[in-house]
Amino acid sequence: MARQDGELDPLWQDLDWAIGQMLIMGWDGTEVTPPIRNLIENHHLGSIILTAKNLKSAEQTAALVQELQTIAHQAGHPQPLLIAVDQENGGVNSLFDEDYICQFPSAMGIAATGSTELAYNVAKATATEISAVGVNLILGPVLDVLTNARHQPLGVRTTGDDPQEASQFCIATINGYKDAGLATCGKHFPSYGNLDFLGSSLDMPIITQTLEELSLSALVPFRNAVAAGRLDAMFIGGCGIQNAGMNVTHACLSDQVVDDLLRNDLGFKGVAISECLEMQSLIQEYGVKGGSVMAVEAGNDLILLCRAHDIQLEAISGLKLGIENGIISKKRIYTSLRRVLKLKSTCTSWEKALNPPGLSLLSKIHPSHFALSQKAYDHSITVVRDKDNLLPLSENLLQGEELLLLTPLVKPLPASAATKNIIEKSNGKHSTLHERYAHHERGTIMSGEGVFRELGKSLARIRNGKLLHTSYTANGLRPVHENLINRASAIIIVTADANRNMYQNGFTKHVATMCHMLRGTGQKKSLIVVAVSSPYDFAMEKTIGTYVCTFDFTETAMASLVRALYGEFIPQGSMPGTMRKSKKVTKTRQQWLVENYERSRDEHGLNELLKVLARSSTPSLPYIATTAASFELHDSNFEESHFVVRNSSTNMLYGFVATYFIKGVAIIGAIFVDPSKRNVSVGRSLHRRAMRALLQKSGIKKIQLGLAYPGIFPGVTVDESGSIRSWFDNVGWDTQFPKRLANMVIEDLGSWSAPEGLLQSLQRANVSFDLIKSMDNSDSVLALVAAHSGPEIVELYRSALQDQHCGVVRAKAALDNVLGIVIICNKASHLSAYIPSLYAPGNQEVGGIIAPIVPTTAQASLVLQGLVFMGVRQNKSQKATKGVLSWVPGETHELFSAMGFEVQQTFDEVVNSPEHWLDLS
C-alpha cells in the first residue's frame, strides 16, 4: 500500500490498527473481562470509556486502569489508551470514593457562586484527582445553554440560560482541566439545551430551532470554547434536528452537523466523538454497521460503543466493510487517526500511563481539596427569597418547637453513599427517554427518607432537638402530612425538579396554602422550600416566601445546606444566568468608590484579577500575557493615571482602568472588571472616574479608546455579539466610525514561504530595505511616524530603537526616500511586556512585526508587503517559530492574509472629541 499517512508510524499502514484507534468502547464490570481484553489485544482498541459500573473506589480504579494500559503496552500499542470518564461533579460522577475523591458542586452550583476563579480551581482539583488514578480524558465540560430552562433534563449539569456567562465558566473549567494535564471534551454539540421530547416519531428528542436561532444562543459557548483554543475534543449528540434548513435524525451521523457546522463554521480542529451508537432508534433505522460507517463519513474521529460486545464487534466489521466498499476512504481514516494520536500526545505517555500515582498523591491532596469542596458548596448555597426573615432557623425556631422535613421520592445521585449501597441492585435501565438525557443511570427509586436520611439527622443534631421527617409522593397531601404540619412550627419542603415532577409542585403549593391558612388562625407555621436540583422549581413563585437552592443533593451539598439554614455562614450564592442579571439591573446605578492605583498596595490584586480574567475569557489574550507591570510605561513623555475599585478589607480588586495622556491625546488604554462583579456598575464607576481625570488635562485635542503602546488593548475588543461595543455606547462613546485594527499571526514560520512574485515586484519597483538598530539614524523614522500616526506610536518607535532586541526596517526608494517602516523584535525585547500578542507559552520563540507605517501612494500595498516580508525573514533568522504582526489597519488585512497570516484578534480604536464629553468636564 502506498504511504498516505505522512510521518505516521509504519504500523498504522495496517488498517486494522488504524480502525482500532477510531473506536472508544466500554463494558460492564469492575474487572478486565475477556471481551475487553480481546478488543485491546486483537482489534487494537485505542480508547476506553469507564462508567460508575466499572469503578468501585480510587484504589480499584487505579489498578484497573493500570491493567488496561499494561495489556495495551504488551499488545504493541504505540501509544497508551485514552481513558475517558464523566466526572462533571454534582450528580454526575463516574468515580465516587468518600476517602480520596472529593465531591464538588454541579456546573450550575459553581455558576451560582459567581466566581470563575472557583470554577477553575474546582476543575483543576477534579482533574488532578481522576488523573491520579490514570484517567487522561474528561468528558466535559457541558457547554449546553438551557434555552428552555424550566423543562430541560440537563438541568444543573449546565451553567444556566445565559450563553455569555456559560462561556466564561466553561472556559475557566477547560483551563482547570488542561492545567491538571487532562484532555478535554465539550458536550453535547450542537446542543441538548432545548430538546423537544414530543415532536419526534422516533425514540429520540429533537432540536427544532433554526441555525440562526442556535447561533444566537446555544452555539455561543461552543464557539467561544473552540476559539479559546484548549478544547481537545467535542462530543456530538445523538438528538435529531428538524428545522427549515436541516432534517437530521441523529446529529452525530450528519456531515451537516460535524463537518459543516462544527469544523467549517466553528473552526474546530480537534477530535469529534460520536454519541453512543447503541441507541435503539439508530439500530432499528440503520443497524450498527451502517451507523458506524455513517458516523465516520459524517466526520467523527472516535465512535462510541458503550458496553455490548456483540454490537462492538459488529461496528468493527462495519467499518472494515465500509472501506472495502469504497464508502470510507483511506484518507478519511488517516485524517481521524492523526487527530486522535495528536490528542493522545497532549495528555499521556507510556511512563505516565503505566505508573499512575494513585493513593499516594490522593492522600496528600485530599485535605486541601476537601477544604475547597466545602468552600465551593458554601458559596453555592443560594437564598433566592426570605421575605419574612425566617433564616437563620436558630433565631426563629425555639428549642421546644418542632421542625418538619418533607422530602420527595427521588433517585439517589451517582456520587452518593446511598447509590453506593444499592448500585449492585440497580438494573441500569432508563424508565423514560427524558431520564436518559438527564444521565440518571440508576434505576432504583428510594423514599425521601432514604436519600435524605442524613439531612434529617444533621438537622436534628444542629438544633439539638426533635425532627419530624416523612416523604411525599404523587398521592399528594395525605392525613399523615396534615397531622405533622399541624404539630410543627416550621416546615422544610425539599423539591427536586418540580417542573418535571409536577406532583412536587402541586404538593408544595398545597402545603403553602395550608400554612397560610393556619397562620391566619394565629399558629406559627414557618415554611421554607429548598430546591435541591433545578433552581427554577419556584424561582418565580412569589407565594413561596422563603426559597433556597442547593443545585444538587449529594451529602456534601446537604451538609452545607444545614449549616446555612442554621446561620453558621451567610449564603452568598445567586441565581445563575439571566435571573442573576435581572436582579443586578436594580443595582446598576450603584456608585463604587474609585481609588488611585498604588503599585505597592494593588500590584498583587491586579495580577490576581488578570489571572481570573485569563481563565474565563475568550480568547485568553491579552490577559494571560499581561501583568500589572504591563500598564506602567515609566516614560516621561506620557502622563499616566490608573484607577481601581477594590475591597479595602481584603485588598481584592474588582476592576481596573488605565489612562494615559500624551501631546493632547487623552487615552483609556484598558478597562476591565472581575467577571463576578459585572452588571453592578463597577465598570461605569471606573469609566466615569477615568473620563473626569482625562478631561481635566490642559491642551486636550481628542479622547481615544485603545492604545498601541502599551498595546494591551489597541481598541475595543471586537466580539461576535457586539456586547463590548454596546457597553461603550451605553456609557456615552460615539463608536460609529472606529479604526479597525488587528493582530495577525503565522503559527508555523518553518513551513512559510514568500508569495510568488513578491521579490520580483519589489525589484522592479526599485524598493530596497535596510535595518536600523539604534537612535543614530532615527530622525527620518521618527519624522515619518509623527507625520502619519499619533504621538503614542512615535513613543513606541522611539522605545524600539533604544532596545537591543528590536530594530526598524525601512523601505526606501532609489533616492533614499523613506517609503515605509516597521518594527521588528523578539520575545526578549522589553516590548513583549507591553504587547500581549508576542506571548507564547514555554520556550517557543516568537518574532514580532509591529505597527507598519506606509504613507498612501500608488506603491503602498507593495511596500507594506515588502516590509512585512523582510520582518518575517528577520524573525526566521533569529530562530522564531511563530510570527506575529501587530497593530494592522483593517484595510490591509487581505494583503497579509495573502502572505499566510491569520487574524488572531480584532479591535476597534475609537476617537471622540472633548466636546462630546462636555457633561463630564
Side-chain angles (χ1 to χ4, degrees), residues 495-517:
T495 65
D497 293 312
N499 285 310
R500 294 193 293 113
N501 299 291
M502 291 305 294
Y503 79 89
Q504 297 179 24
N505 187 290
F507 180 87
T508 302
K509 289 181 178 178
H510 196 159
V511 173
T513 301
M514 183 176 173
C515 288
H516 178 73
M517 293 172 62

Side-chain angles (χ1 to χ4, degrees), residues 664-822:
V665 183
I667 307 162
I668 291 182
I671 182 169
F672 45 82
V673 174
D674 186 315
S676 68
K677 294 295 180 182
R678 290 176 184 165
N679 302 304
V680 293
S681 285
V682 172
R684 283 178 176 269
S685 299
L686 285 165
H687 179 265
R688 188 181 301 108
R689 179 70 180 87
M691 292 300 294
R692 284 178 173 164
L694 291 172
L695 289 165
Q696 291 171 8
K697 303 293 184 184
S698 60
I700 184 170
K701 298 172 185 175
K702 64 179 182 179
I703 305 178
Q704 182 173 303
L705 267 180
L707 181 62
Y709 179 58
I712 316 299
F713 292 98
V716 178
T717 306
V718 176
D719 64 321
E720 192 171 273
S721 67
S723 60
I724 300 176
R725 184 166 167 176
S726 294
W727 187 88
F728 284 101
D729 287 334
N730 291 334
V731 296
W733 285 85
D734 181 354
T735 65
Q736 291 185 77
F737 304 106
K739 177 181 180 179
R740 180 62 55 93
L741 298 166
N743 294 327
M744 305 184 76
V745 64
I746 296 174
E747 292 288 353
D748 182 11
L749 283 180
S751 62
W752 181 87
S753 58
E756 189 175 345
L758 177 59
L759 283 173
Q760 294 86 337
S761 297
L762 290 167
Q763 290 168 355
R764 285 195 298 271
N766 290 319
V767 178
S768 62
F769 301 90
D770 66 3
L771 178 64
I772 299 174
K773 295 203 64 143
S774 72
M775 293 294 290
D776 293 344
N777 299 300
S778 64
D779 291 348
S780 62
V781 170
L782 296 178
L784 185 70
V785 180
H788 296 282
S789 196
E792 74 276 16
I793 306 298
V794 175
E795 291 308 309
L796 172 62
Y797 268 82
R798 194 190 310 277
S799 181
L801 288 166
Q802 295 171 346
D803 187 334
Q804 63 174 330
H805 298 287
C806 294
V808 173
V809 175
R810 294 190 302 184
K812 299 187 295 182
L815 299 176
D816 276 353
N817 293 327
V818 178
L819 301 174
I821 51 178
V822 72

Side-chain angles (χ1 to χ4, degrees), residues 493-614:
I493 303 181
V494 170
T495 65
D497 293 312
N499 285 310
R500 294 193 293 113
N501 299 291
M502 291 305 294
Y503 79 89
Q504 297 179 24
N505 187 290
F507 180 87
T508 302
K509 289 181 178 178
H510 196 159
V511 173
T513 301
M514 183 176 173
C515 288
H516 178 73
M517 293 172 62
L518 292 171
R519 281 195 295 270
T521 67
Q523 297 184 50
K524 181 178 179 180
K525 298 296 169 190
S526 302
L527 177 64
I528 299 167
V529 176
V530 179
V532 297
S533 187
S534 169
Y536 302 105
D537 287 0
F538 294 96
M540 306 303 291
E541 186 63 54
K542 300 299 172 62
T543 59
I544 305 297
T546 300
Y547 182 52
V548 182
C549 299
T550 68
F551 305 97
D552 71 59
F553 50 95
T554 55
E555 286 90 341
T556 321
M558 296 299 94
S560 284
L561 170 65
V562 170
R563 294 170 54 245
L565 291 176
Y566 271 83
E568 291 193 3
F569 66 90
I570 299 173
Q572 298 294 322
S574 59
M575 286 287 288
T578 55
M579 291 195 70
R580 173 155 50 211
K581 285 185 174 180
S582 66
K583 283 200 167 188
K584 287 181 177 179
V585 166
T586 61
K587 302 179 183 177
T588 56
R589 298 303 169 199
Q590 180 177 344
Q591 297 291 319
W592 293 83
L593 288 175
V594 179
E595 303 177 53
N596 289 309
Y597 174 80
E598 295 180 12
R599 186 189 310 126
S600 59
R601 182 193 67 195
D602 298 325
E603 182 176 29
H604 175 73
L606 181 52
N607 282 326
E608 290 302 306
L609 176 56
L610 289 165
K611 289 177 186 177
V612 169
L613 288 161

Side-chain angles (χ1 to χ4, degrees), residues 82-103:
L82 280 179
I83 305 292
V85 299
D86 278 307
Q87 195 81 357
E88 297 174 18
N89 290 317
V92 182
N93 277 354
S94 296
L95 177 58
F96 174 73
D97 186 325
E98 290 173 296
D99 297 323
Y100 294 104
I101 303 297
C102 283
Q103 177 64 42

Side-chain angles (χ1 to χ4, degrees), residues 27 49 57 119 190 207 215 290 308 410 501 577 579 627 698 702 712 736 746 765 770 830 862 892 905:
W27 82 102
I49 183 169
S57 67
I207 297 170
S215 294
V410 292
N501 299 291
M579 291 195 70
T627 67
S698 60
K702 64 179 182 179
I712 316 299
Q736 291 185 77
I746 296 174
D770 66 3
H830 83 282
L862 179 62
T892 63
Q905 206 166 1

